[in-house]
């Protein structure tokens, strides 16, 4: 039972301020009031941008100090690991075991970014044709970065934007998801404690149509890094024009189970990763394509594993599947499934809903034109389809407007070598599901899954300007 309602302030120009407008955030499992959050108005957002610009112009944030700050935050995250994980579970509905992993990953992301701060070096350019010139490059920060983040990884996806921005020497303005703002606020506390320079981190909370739109319209912001829906991503790109953006958008990620796969391993892992965090992961397994030779054996094992999953209170360490982010989203999924059933889809297990708790659901007989197949479900629902030849499976994976990640289970080394060239996705995972990410890897998609790469070493290159210097040695 939650007895204390948290009252959260905004972090603006190194100060904690309370605004007149408030929003309420609820525990996603119990429905109890969890926190009351200050909401930024137009003046507060403008003050945050002004403070970030002033800090960028006036404050020296040297690479060696960036390293110190980022490493200190990593240490603080691990010191408060249990507390932060419980916030993730209460505010976001993520099972506590997964929430603990998220905090640990966030600490690792800061450490990786800290190392990258020391690697920001230019290069000497060979001078082949012109005498009397010395050519080299330097890397400098782009300027103020706006980080617009989603609810599903309320700490680590904030960190994946904030840590590289700071490592590159940029001030960052965080606008977290309204459903899960507390983790961004806690992160600002840790950054302040770690000694981040005044004005280099701001946290503004509010709606996309108000706070988000104001950030987009302000041309003083140099770079936007966003995780969310393709519709919003397209709006961001259209609004900001030639300014830079890193966009990690939607997906209906797929995994192939070929005839030579280890069926037991594939079934066990797919049962877990199709429903992790109630399917609310950008690379969650939404489509499974199984070779017809092993369909029966795979489905028996897969459905058996799905039925073992425990659904319920995210604070229970035994829970595998917690609530969806809100009841409206659960109702949407219910409607999409009903539409698919009308068109011939069948439910093999699951399909029921209680408020925002959706039972792990496996569909079959799905086809092109059904939302459960074509769109991003972002729910604990997966469809299974069979294929005859590998070329057919590849076509099925690629027959999507998205292209974030894909997985394949196979014992064939030749297929393992060729498949990354044949799938239209940003990442291919061999002998594992599409739902795999480690924080140092380049992560990002193609088509409507976005552009640019996350992963500190890759993100940081988009957060610096490469300046070419030409020295006339004869001048």
């Amino acid at each position: 039972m939650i007895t204390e309602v948290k009252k959260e302030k905004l972090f603006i120009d190194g100060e904690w301020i309370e605004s007149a407008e408030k929003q309420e955030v609820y525990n996603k499992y119990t429905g109890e009031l969890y926190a009351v959050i200050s909401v930024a108005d137009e003046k507060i957002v403008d003050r945050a941008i002004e403070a970030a610009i002033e800090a960028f112009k006036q404050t020296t944030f040297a690479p060696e100090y960036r390293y110190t700050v980022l490493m200190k935050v990593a240490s603080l995250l691990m010191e408060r690991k249990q507390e932060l994980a419980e916030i993730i579970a209460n505010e976001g509905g993520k099972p506590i075991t997964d929430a603990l992993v998220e905090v640990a990953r966030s600490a690792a992301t800061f450490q990786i970014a800290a190392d990258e701060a020391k690697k920001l070096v230019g290069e000497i350019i060979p001078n082949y044709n012109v005498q009397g010139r010395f050519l080299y490059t330097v890397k400098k920060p782009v300027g103020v970065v706006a980080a617009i983040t989603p609810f599903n990884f309320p700490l680590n996806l904030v960190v994946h934007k904030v840590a590289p921005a700071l490592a590159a020497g940029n001030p960052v303005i965080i606008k977290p998801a309204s459903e899960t703002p507390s983790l961004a606020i806690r992160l600002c506390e840790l950054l302040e404690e770690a000694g981040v320079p005044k004005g280099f981190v701001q946290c503004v909370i509010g709606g996309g149509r108000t706070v988000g739109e104001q950030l987009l319209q302000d041309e003083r912001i140099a770079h936007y890094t966003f995780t969310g829906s393709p519709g919003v991503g397209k709006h961001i790109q259209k609004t900001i024009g030639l300014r830079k953006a890193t966009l990690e958008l939607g997906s209906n990620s797929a995994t192939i189970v070929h005839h030579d796969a280890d069926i037991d391993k594939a079934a066990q892992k797919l049962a877990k990763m199709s429903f992790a965090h109630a399917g609310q992961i950008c690379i969650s397994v939404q489509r499974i394509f199984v070779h017809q030779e092993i369909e029966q054996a795979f489905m028996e094992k897969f459905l058996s594993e799905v039925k073992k999953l425990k659904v319920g209170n995210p604070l229970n360490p035994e829970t595998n599947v917690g609530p969806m982010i809100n009841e409206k989203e659960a109702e949407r999924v219910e409607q999409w499934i009903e539409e698919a059933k009308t068109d011939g889809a069948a439910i093999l297990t699951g399909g029921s809903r209680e408020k925002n708790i959706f039972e792990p659901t496996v569909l079959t007989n799905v086809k092109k034109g059904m939302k459960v197949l074509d769109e991003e479900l972002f729910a604990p629902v997966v469809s299974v389809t069979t294929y005859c030849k590998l070329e057919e499976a590849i076509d099925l994976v690629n027959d999507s407007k998205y292209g974030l990640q894909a997985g394949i289970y196979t014992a064939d080394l030749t297929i393992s070598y060729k498949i990354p060239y044949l799938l239209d996705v940003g990442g291919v995972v061999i002998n594992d599901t599409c739902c795999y990410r480690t924080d140092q890897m380049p992560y990002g998609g193609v088509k409507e899954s976005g552009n640019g790469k996350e992963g500190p070493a890759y993100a940081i290159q988009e957060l610096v300007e490469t300046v070419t210097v030409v020295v006339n040695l004869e001048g």
Side-chain angles (χ1 to χ4, degrees), residues 21-25 35-39 177-181 205-207:
E21 184 182 353
K22 303 290 192 300
Q23 77 170 44
E24 295 179 336
V25 176
V36 176
I37 316 287
S38 285
V39 175
S178 297
E179 291 274 14
T180 54
I205 293 166

Side-chain angles (χ1 to χ4, degrees), residues 426-473:
V428 178
V429 188
I430 311 295
N431 285 322
D432 206 335
T433 77
C434 54
C435 193
Y436 177 84
R437 180 183 183 183
T438 186
D439 295 290
Q440 66 268 32
M441 71 187 238
Y443 176 79
V446 299
K447 299 189 280 191
E448 290 197 16
S449 287
N451 58 51
K453 297 290 185 183
E454 288 191 342
Y458 304 90
I460 201 171
Q461 293 303 321
E462 300 189 37
L463 294 163
V464 293
E465 295 285 3
T466 299
V467 180
T468 303
V469 183
V470 180
V471 180
N472 183 355
L473 300 175

Side-chain angles (χ1 to χ4, degrees), residues 9-323:
K9 297 180 180 180
L10 303 171
F11 190 57
I12 309 293
D13 196 17
E15 299 177 0
W16 293 97
I17 67 170
E18 185 174 358
S19 64
E21 184 182 353
K22 303 290 192 300
Q23 77 170 44
E24 295 179 336
V25 176
Y26 293 88
N27 180 295
K28 300 305 182 292
Y29 180 71
T30 67
E32 294 176 287
L33 181 62
Y34 181 73
V36 176
I37 316 287
S38 285
V39 175
D41 59 20
E42 187 175 340
K43 289 183 178 179
I44 291 174
V45 174
D46 188 65
R47 179 182 168 188
I49 298 170
E50 288 279 3
I53 291 168
E54 188 67 18
F56 185 59
K57 290 179 178 178
Q58 302 296 332
T59 305
T60 299
F61 192 18
E64 59 270 24
Y65 188 53
R66 299 174 207 165
Y67 174 86
T68 300
V69 170
L70 297 178
M71 289 298 289
K72 177 62 174 176
V73 177
S75 176
L76 292 171
L77 282 167
M78 293 308 292
E79 288 177 14
R80 296 174 63 175
K81 183 177 179 181
Q82 186 66 35
E83 172 199 346
L84 294 169
E86 289 177 4
I87 296 173
I88 294 171
N90 284 314
E91 193 173 70
K94 180 174 290 187
I96 188 68
T97 51
D98 295 334
L100 287 164
V101 172
E102 180 172 346
V103 180
R105 286 182 58 190
S106 300
T109 303
F110 264 108
Q111 291 171 336
I112 298 164
D115 286 336
E116 293 303 320
K118 299 187 294 183
K119 300 177 184 178
L120 281 173
V121 294
E123 60 181 343
I124 296 173
I125 310 298
N127 189 353
Y128 294 113
N129 300 315
V130 181
Q131 301 301 314
R133 297 289 191 275
F134 177 61
L135 285 66
Y136 66 98
T137 63
V138 297
K139 305 282 187 179
K140 67 178 185 181
V142 295
V144 178
V145 175
I148 305 173
T149 63
F151 73 83
N152 57 330
F153 284 82
L155 182 60
N156 198 34
L157 285 185
V158 176
V159 170
H160 264 286
K161 300 175 189 316
V162 171
L166 293 176
N170 300 297
V172 59
I173 301 170
I174 309 167
K175 195 204 88 64
S178 297
E179 291 274 14
T180 54
S182 295
L183 273 301
I185 295 169
R186 296 285 85 74
L187 181 61
C188 289
E189 291 177 353
L190 301 187
L191 283 160
E192 182 183 31
E193 184 177 344
V196 72
K198 181 175 180 285
F200 264 80
V201 175
Q202 324 280 332
C203 185
V204 293
I205 293 166
R209 295 179 181 178
T210 52
V211 173
E213 195 63 30
Q214 186 176 349
L215 292 172
L216 296 183
Q217 295 290 344
D218 199 308
E219 295 188 359
R220 295 173 294 178
I221 295 175
H223 189 106
Y224 297 83
T225 172
F226 168 78
T227 299
S229 72
V232 176
K234 291 176 182 178
H235 174 70
I236 289 172
Q237 197 69 74
K238 181 179 179 180
T239 304
I240 67 174
L242 294 178
R243 286 178 289 159
K244 292 183 177 181
T246 303
L247 304 173
E248 198 274 280
L249 308 177
S251 185
N252 57 353
S253 296
T255 297
I256 299 168
V257 185
H258 204 38
H259 63 75
D260 57 355
D262 184 319
I263 293 174
D264 287 347
K265 286 184 178 179
Q268 290 170 5
K269 195 64 180 290
L270 283 164
K272 177 181 178 182
M273 301 316 296
S274 298
F275 308 106
H277 194 18
Q280 299 168 126
I281 301 174
C282 298
I283 46 176
S284 180
V285 184
Q286 185 173 325
R287 299 179 294 156
I288 300 174
F289 300 111
V290 181
H291 195 281
Q292 62 184 21
E293 288 182 11
I294 60 168
E295 177 190 7
Q296 183 175 350
F298 172 81
M299 291 306 298
E300 287 177 1
K301 182 65 176 178
F302 177 63
L303 291 173
S304 173
E305 293 294 326
V306 172
K307 291 172 183 177
K308 292 178 185 176
L309 297 173
K310 296 185 182 300
V311 181
N313 188 345
L315 289 175
N316 183 346
E318 295 184 357
T319 295
N320 305 115
V321 183

Side-chain angles (χ1 to χ4, degrees), residues 344-357:
I347 297 175
L348 298 182
T349 187
S352 63
R353 175 182 71 85
E354 183 177 349
K355 295 184 178 179
N356 63 331
I357 301 284

